[in-house]
Structures are given as structure tokens and as C-alpha cells.
């Protein structure tokens, strides 16, 4: 049996929505993007959303919209996809890592204050695998030190903690709609924000810095535009937006299926010696983006090989960022600078998790893991 690591869950309705968008006059940014932005903002309980080309653009523009650049430090986590830290580097600032909680892999809020310096401008948190960080605690720390808070919520569209959703307590939350994310347009991303002026600034910077959006230009008669500050090019298209709005209608039912799969994995593996998996937190709705197993680092790569030999697609999310060549070289991080993140990165592997995963495939994954470990 072959079990893909990921298969998207796009339906005939999603395909129809994209086709309808292509039949319209405006296939780039237009009304359908506005519709998706309103949907995303209301789903997450935020005033504004900006549709973009990727989650990486969302992170970068969130930093730029808050004036973060050369000479600034941004506190973030080494246990994430490299896009998080790369965005800080591209904004011209310095990523300053703090280690993570051993049982969740999320940035350890208790370690943040020790990393604050006079140059610190922002805290960039990542809701790893779909479990939200303690945003109330992080907001408190940020307020004490007058720092911006940005959330990398690429894994956490559906998540919440103590009733707080991404964007509700921060300056910006960033989503990705990359091929394997919980909803997808192949590539895509968005920002949600509470501040209208900052959201407008991010939207402007996503379109060369032009003072009227291309969509607005298309809607009415020709108007001249100006550029106060050169921006980038990262605006979402109507085609992407149509696919995403269509998926929003079943975002919660897709989450229910992933929750069910995670329950089965957890039941199957909780008694297996030498295996652990990340814990949840009281009061949190976990967005269930990834299911990872944490095992013996010495055997991890052999286990991956064994699972692949049995037709099970697996991957690693993630090797710790401070151990990647550029980050080691540029910032002089030692191998064990962040030992908890380092250990997770050495011991972790991710199993297939998506709504279309069939019961017999789940059974095959479970049996294969047990066989390979035995
Ligand atoms: C996917 C992902 C991103 C980047 O999103 P793209 O849309 O691929 O640019 C950023 N951070 C995390 C944690 C991710 O998983």
C-alpha cells in the first residue's frame, strides 16, 4: 500500500470556483480577493485581512509594515520552517532565537525577557503544528517592553487558546495557503490585523507602494496613482481567492477529520516505549496541521527509511534553524545553542495527516510504525 505524505482535499466546487474566477474580466486582484479577505477576517475575529502570494510575503510585509529593519532585533524560535527566520533576515533585521518548551516545541515564553535588548523591536511567535502559543503571556511581555508582536500562524488557521485567535492580541498574524496547508491555493498567504492604517500600509507594500490598489483602479475610471515608498509585489489573485473562499465553507469539518486521525494515532502510539508526541494545552483548540512523533534521535533516519520502504510518506518538520548552514555561519550559533529545539529537530518525524486519509491507510501507517520500531 502507498500512503502519500499529503494529498490535497480540493473538490469539484473549488475547481468550479476557480474556473468561474477565470471567466471574469479581472483574474488578478479584484472583488473575489476582497471577499476572501472579509471571510478570513471574520473567521479569525479580526478587523482586516490582506490577501497575498505566500505566507513568506505575509511575514515579511508584517515586519515592514511595522518599520522593522536594519539594526533591529526580532525574537523568534529556532523550531520552525526556515521561512520565519528568513523573513526577518530579508527585512534587514537580526533574528534572535530563544529555546522552546520540551513538551510542545513552541517558543518558551519564560525565556523571552532574557533575550530582550535595547535593539529588540518585535517578538515573532510560531504556533507550531497548530498549537497556539500562550498569547496572553506573550502580549504581557511585549507590552512591558514596548514590542511589536507578530504571529506566524501558518499552521494555525483554525486554532485558538483561551478564546483568543491568531491576530486578536498581536499586531499581525500571518497565514500560508501553500500546497500542504489546511486550506490551499497551491501557493498563497494572508495577513490579519486589527489596525486599519497598518493593514492599508501592508496592502500598499504588496503592490509596489502604489497609493490605490490595482483592484480599485479597475473598478472605476482611470485615476493617477503615486508612490511614497517603493513596495514589493505580493498581491493575491482572484483565482486563488476563489479557491480559498470555497474551502472556508468546510474548514471546520476538515479539522474534525484531522482531529479524528490524530486521536487514532495518539491511541495507537501512547503505549509504545521510546515514542512521544507533542502535548496540547488546556484551553487550546489545536488546528492539527501536523502530527509528529518524537523518538530516538539515533534511529530517526532509519525509521524514516523503514516507513518509506513500506510505502508511507514521511517528512521532518523541522531541523532546528540555528543548525542550518547560513544561520550557523552568519550568527555563529553553536550546535547546542538551543538544546531543546535541537533535540526535537533530531528526533522528530511527521506522519500523513489530511482529511482524505482513509481508515485503511491510517491502519497501515500505524502498523508500519510499530513494525519499524520493533
Ligand atoms: C508554510 C510555512 C511558512 C511559509 O509559507 P509559504 O506560503 O510557503 O511562504 C512560514 N512558516 C511556517 C511555520 C510554515 O509552515
Amino acid at each position: 500500500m502507498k500512503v502519500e505524505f499529503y494529498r490535497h482535499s480540493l473538490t469539484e466546487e473549488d475547481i468550479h470556483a476557480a474556473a468561474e474566477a477565470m471567466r471574469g474580466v479581472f483574474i488578478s486582484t479584484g472583488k473575489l480577493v476582497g471577499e476572501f479577505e472579509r471571510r478570513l477576517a471574520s473567521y479569525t475575529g479580526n478587523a482586516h485581512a490582506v490577501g497575498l502570494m505566500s505566507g513568506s510575503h505575509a511575514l515579511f510585509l508584517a515586519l515592514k509594515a511595522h518599520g522593522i529593519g536594519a539594526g533591529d532585533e526580532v525574537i523568534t524560535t529556532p523550531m520552525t520552517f526556515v521561512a520565519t527566520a528568513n523573513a526577518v533576515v530579508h527585512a534587514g533585521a537580526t533574528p534572535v532565537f530563544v529555546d522552546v518548551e520540551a513538551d510542545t516545541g513552541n517558543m518558551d515564553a519564560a525565556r523571552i525577557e532574557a533575550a530582550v535588548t535595547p535593539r529588540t523591536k518585535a517578538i515573532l511567535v510560531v504556533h507550531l503544528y497548530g498549537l497556539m502559543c500562550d498569547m496572553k503571556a506573550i502580549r504581557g511581555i511585549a507590552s512591558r517592553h514596548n514590542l511589536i508582536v507578530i504571529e506566524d500562524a501558518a499552521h494555525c488557521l483554525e486554532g485558538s487558546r483561551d478564546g483568543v485567535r491568531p491576530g486578536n492580541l498581536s499586531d499581525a498574524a500571518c497565514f500560508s495557503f501553500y500546497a500542504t496547508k489546511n486550506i490551499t491555493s497551491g501557493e498563497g498567504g494572508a495577513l490579519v490585523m486589527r489596525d486599519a492604517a497598518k493593514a492599508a500600509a501592508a496592502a500598499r507594500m504588496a503592490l509596489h507602494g502604489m497609493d490605490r490598489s490595482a483592484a480599485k483602479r479597475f473598478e472605476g475610471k482611470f485615476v493617477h496613482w503615486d508612490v511614497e515608498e517603493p513596495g514589493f509585489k505580493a498581491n493575491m489573485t482572484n483565482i486563488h481567492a476563489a479557491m480559498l473562499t470555497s474551502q472556508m465553507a468546510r474548514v471546520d469539518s476538515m479539522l474534525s477529520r484531522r482531529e479524528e486521525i490524530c486521536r487514532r494515532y495518539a491511541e495507537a502510539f501512547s503505549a509504545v516505549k521510546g515514542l512521544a508526541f507533542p502535548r496540547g494545552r488546556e484551553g487550546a483548540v489545536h488546528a492539527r496541521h501536523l502530527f509528529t512523533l518524537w523518538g530516538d534521535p539515533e534511529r530517526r533516519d532509519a525509521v524514516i527509511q523503514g516507513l518509506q520502504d513500506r510505502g508511507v510518506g514521511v517528512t521532518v518538520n523541522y531541523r532546528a534553524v540555528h543548525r542550518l548552514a547560513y544561520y550557523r555561519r552568519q550568527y555563529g550559533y553553536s550546535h547546542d545553542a538551543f538544546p531543546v529545539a535541537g533535540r526535537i529537530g533530531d528526533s522528530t518525524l511527521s506522519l500523513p495527516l489530511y482529511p482524505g486519509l482513509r481508515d485503511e491507510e491510517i491502519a497501515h501507517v500505524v502498523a508500519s510504525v510499530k513494525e519499524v520500531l520493533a
Side-chain angles (χ1 to χ4, degrees), residues 53-57 59 80-81 83-84 126 128 152 154-155 175-178 180-181 187-189 289 318:
M53 237 150 47
S54 74
S56 301
H57 283 105
L59 289 163
T80 182
F81 182 50
T84 316
V126 178
L128 191 69
D152 180 337
H155 298 181
F175 296 103
S176 166
F177 309 119
Y178 172 68
T180 60
K181 297 306 199 303
E187 301 286 352
H289 176 56
Y318 302 95

Side-chain angles (χ1 to χ4, degrees), residues 98-135:
V98 300
D99 213 345
V100 299
E101 300 169 341
D103 64 339
T104 67
N106 271 339
M107 183 195 274
D108 187 347
R111 297 180 200 254
I112 292 174
E113 278 188 301
V116 173
T117 76
R119 296 183 150 204
T120 308
K121 285 285 156 55
I123 305 173
L124 171 51
V125 301
V126 178
H127 306 313
L128 191 69
Y129 309 142
L131 174 69
M132 242 177 122
C133 297
D134 184 349
M135 289 307 296

